[in-house]
């Protein structure tokens, strides 16, 4: 065991500050970061890896983009926290509202978790109802009511997916299968009158990568309207990932509330929720739903986010990113065919998810039944070949605008060597 791992494990539970970093899915020693630039992350023990994890999504411009770094430096010289409103926060909210018109009013918070947690409380306060409907495999951060999975017994009733979540709270959530309108109809028939919100990742990017079937999101819109629940799109990953706006700009379905995070902070801690003005105005002090945060709208996070969004708006990388990803995935798939390894690599825009399976991936169960041992072996071999994928088959891979063609060529070579080295059949 490395010295760092030993020190980390003595002083931090599991040696980490966020669970997936411990590499428990894939085994082997976790990496420790020293620095990063562009598409590369350098480890403490001196390896330089092509990074496809990219901090799980925020770094669409790559690590340490010069504009973002400069914005952070300048902001920090003006003061690191005021806990009063700044002009930059207003400018950030205006920029987001203009890009995502359903977000008529916006509140900035500190993380995606906080955005989703607050959106749920807001929906409950607005509707005066308690229950929420979520989808298995969709992740919305780690607040109690969202850390639930489909229960094994009574269909629809959720069970806590973590210790420490009271049954009484888990029972307030019903869990449907993504892309399964029958589940939704049945649960709304049972619970519709008590339902405060339906929350969904419009593209599911925490179960590998699963696109919504045609009409599924619009169906959720209709069902929400019928029963009077708020429709919440969790666009923490998808926001500003495919276009200068949300996935809602592409699919055309308008949610009542949207949650953002990741990209809008450009690598610094941030989250945002926004939506219909009459709903958002239920938030304190305009309304009765409490929300607060010492560091909410933090000037350095806002500067980093504004610099990122400004660059994305003035120099949109989206077409290039999509082309790079499509070419990469095509080459990776070809290699897999040549070496006789069963891999499916769903991809959308600059997201892709290599899954060891011979089936197409349309449902959470398709991801759950992929070959996770093979994923783990490939993950470790990829590291040896200079490539860092997210350390779990449920996490998605990210391209950034710093992943130039020559870097992607190197990645394909590393992938090629990896597949040839796989021992598990
Ligand atoms: C990452 C993520 C969150 C949680 O955001 P944090 O900033 O990690 O709290 C919520 N929803 C989705 C879809 C995410 O991918």
């Amino acid at each position: 065991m490395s010295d760092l791992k030993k020190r980390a494990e003595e002083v931090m539970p599991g040696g980490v500050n966020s669970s997936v970093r411990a590499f428990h899915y894939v085994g082997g020693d976790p990496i420790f970061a020293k620095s990063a630039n562009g598409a590369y992350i350098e480890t403490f023990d001196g390896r330089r890896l092509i990074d496809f994890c990219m901090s799980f999504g925020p770094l669409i411009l790559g690590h340490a983009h010069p504009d973002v770094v400069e914005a952070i430096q300048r902001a920090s010289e003006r003061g690191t926290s005021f806990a009063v409103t700044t002009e930059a926060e207003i400018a950030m909210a205006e920029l987001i509202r203009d890009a995502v018109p359903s977000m008529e009013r916006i509140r900035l918070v500190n993380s995606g978790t906080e955005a989703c947690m607050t959106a749920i409380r807001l929906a409950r306060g607005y509707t005066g109802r308690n229950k929420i409907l979520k989808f298995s495999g969709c992740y919305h951060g780690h607040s109690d009511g969202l850390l639930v999975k489909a229960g094994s017994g009574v269909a629809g009733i959720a069970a806590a997916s973590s210790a420490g979540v009271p049954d009484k709270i888990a029972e307030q959530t019903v869990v449907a299968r993504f892309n399964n309108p029958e589940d939704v109809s049945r649960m709304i028939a049972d619970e519709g009158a008590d339902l405060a919100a339906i929350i969904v990742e419009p593209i599911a990017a925490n179960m590998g990568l699963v696109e919504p079937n045609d009409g599924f999101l619009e169906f959720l819109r209709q069902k929400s309207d019928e029963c009077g629940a708020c429709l919440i799109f969790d666009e923490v990953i998808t926001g500003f990932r495919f276009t200068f706006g949300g996935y809602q700009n592409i699919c055309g379905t308008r949610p009542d509330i949207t949650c953002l995070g990741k990209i809008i902070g450009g690598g610094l801690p941030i989250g945002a929720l926004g939506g219909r003005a009459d709903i958002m105005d239920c938030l304190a002090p305009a309304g009765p739903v409490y929300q607060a945060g010492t560091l909410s709208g933090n000037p350095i996070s806002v500067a980093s986010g504004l610099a990122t969004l400004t660059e994305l708006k003035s120099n949109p990388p989206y077409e290039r990113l999509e082309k790079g990803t499509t070419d990469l995935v095509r080459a990776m798939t070809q290699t897999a065919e040549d070496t006789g390894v069963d891999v499916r690599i769903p991809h959308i825009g600059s997201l892709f998810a290599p899954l060891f399976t011979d089936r197409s991936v349309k449902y959470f169960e398709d991801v759950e039944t992929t070959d996770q041992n093979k994923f783990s072996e490939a993950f470790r071999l990829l590291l040896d070949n200079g490539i860092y994928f997210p350390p779990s088959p449920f996490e998605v891979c990210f391209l950034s605008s710093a992943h130039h063609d020559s870097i992607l060529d190197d990645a394909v070579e590393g992938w090629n060597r990896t597949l040839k080295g796989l021992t598990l059949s």
Side-chain angles (χ1 to χ4, degrees), residues 56 110-114 116 139-142 201 205-206 234-238 261-262 270:
F56 297 104
N110 299 294
S111 67
T113 293
E114 226 186 288
C116 295
Y139 178 68
H140 307 293
H142 62 91
E201 287 181 73
N206 281 284
D234 177 352
E235 298 228 40
V236 170
I237 281 189
T238 56
K262 296 193 171 123
I270 206 163

Side-chain angles (χ1 to χ4, degrees), residues 188-256:
I188 286 184
D190 292 349
E191 312 277 359
D194 291 330
L195 205 62
I198 298 178
I199 184 167
V200 67
E201 287 181 73
I203 286 179
N206 281 284
M207 46 162 137
L209 186 61
V210 179
E211 265 187 275
N213 287 342
D214 277 352
F216 182 63
L217 297 173
E218 199 50 37
F219 171 80
L220 297 183
R221 175 70 277 172
Q222 280 165 15
K223 282 290 170 186
S224 304
D225 288 342
E226 273 171 39
C227 74
C230 297
L231 180 62
I232 304 174
F233 275 8
D234 177 352
E235 298 228 40
V236 170
I237 281 189
T238 56
F240 297 92
R241 176 48 65 180
F242 308 113
T243 184
F244 194 75
Y247 182 68
Q248 61 193 267
N249 301 52
I250 296 169
C251 71
T253 298
R254 188 180 172 109
D256 300 305

Side-chain angles (χ1 to χ4, degrees), residues 22-298:
F23 285 19
H24 59 277
Y25 274 107
V26 289
D29 280 353
I31 59 171
F32 292 84
K34 194 169 94 192
S35 66
N37 200 277
Y40 294 95
I41 183 165
E42 268 189 52
T43 65
F44 198 82
D45 56 10
R47 285 175 287 167
R48 187 161 181 262
L49 308 170
I50 304 173
D51 188 358
F52 288 104
C53 183
M54 296 309 284
S55 191
F56 297 104
L59 305 171
I60 191 167
L61 300 177
H63 289 283
H65 187 281
D67 291 0
V68 178
V69 171
E70 192 190 327
I72 292 169
Q73 283 168 345
R74 289 208 174 159
S76 64
E77 284 163 11
R78 292 190 296 266
T80 56
S81 181
F82 311 116
V84 297
T85 304
T86 58
E87 196 266 340
E89 287 164 66
I90 303 168
M92 174 116 173
E94 288 170 341
L95 193 59
I96 292 174
R97 183 195 55 192
D98 291 350
V100 188
S102 75
M103 299 177 79
E104 295 168 359
R105 299 226 206 299
I106 291 159
R107 179 149 294 176
L108 296 181
V109 294
N110 299 294
S111 67
T113 293
E114 226 186 288
C116 295
M117 176 189 81
T118 307
I120 296 291
R121 185 183 304 135
L122 175 61
R124 285 175 167 152
Y126 175 78
T127 58
R129 301 170 175 183
N130 288 329
K131 297 233 160 135
I132 56 176
L133 189 157
K134 83 176 282 288
F135 294 90
S136 47
C138 283
Y139 178 68
H140 307 293
H142 62 91
S143 66
D144 284 352
L146 293 167
L147 275 190
V148 298
K149 59 187 177 196
S152 51
V154 192
I157 298 295
S161 61
S162 161
V165 174
D167 291 344
K168 287 268 183 292
I169 290 181
E171 285 163 11
Q172 301 299 319
T173 306
V174 291
V175 180
R177 287 168 291 183
F178 191 80
N179 274 340
N180 191 318
E182 293 79 25
D183 272 9
V184 176
S185 293
R186 187 165 38 79
M187 286 169 193
I188 286 184
D190 292 349
E191 312 277 359
D194 291 330
L195 205 62
I198 298 178
I199 184 167
V200 67
E201 287 181 73
I203 286 179
N206 281 284
M207 46 162 137
L209 186 61
V210 179
E211 265 187 275
N213 287 342
D214 277 352
F216 182 63
L217 297 173
E218 199 50 37
F219 171 80
L220 297 183
R221 175 70 277 172
Q222 280 165 15
K223 282 290 170 186
S224 304
D225 288 342
E226 273 171 39
C227 74
C230 297
L231 180 62
I232 304 174
F233 275 8
D234 177 352
E235 298 228 40
V236 170
I237 281 189
T238 56
F240 297 92
R241 176 48 65 180
F242 308 113
T243 184
F244 194 75
Y247 182 68
Q248 61 193 267
N249 301 52
I250 296 169
C251 71
T253 298
R254 188 180 172 109
D256 300 305
I257 304 173
T258 299
C259 301
L260 297 173
K262 296 193 171 123
I263 286 177
I264 64 157
L268 265 69
I270 206 163
L273 66 151
R276 264 171 45 197
D278 63 320
I279 299 178
M280 288 300 292
D281 284 345
C282 291
L283 278 182
V289 178
Y290 191 69
Q291 185 280 330
T294 303
L295 295 177
S296 287
N298 174 266

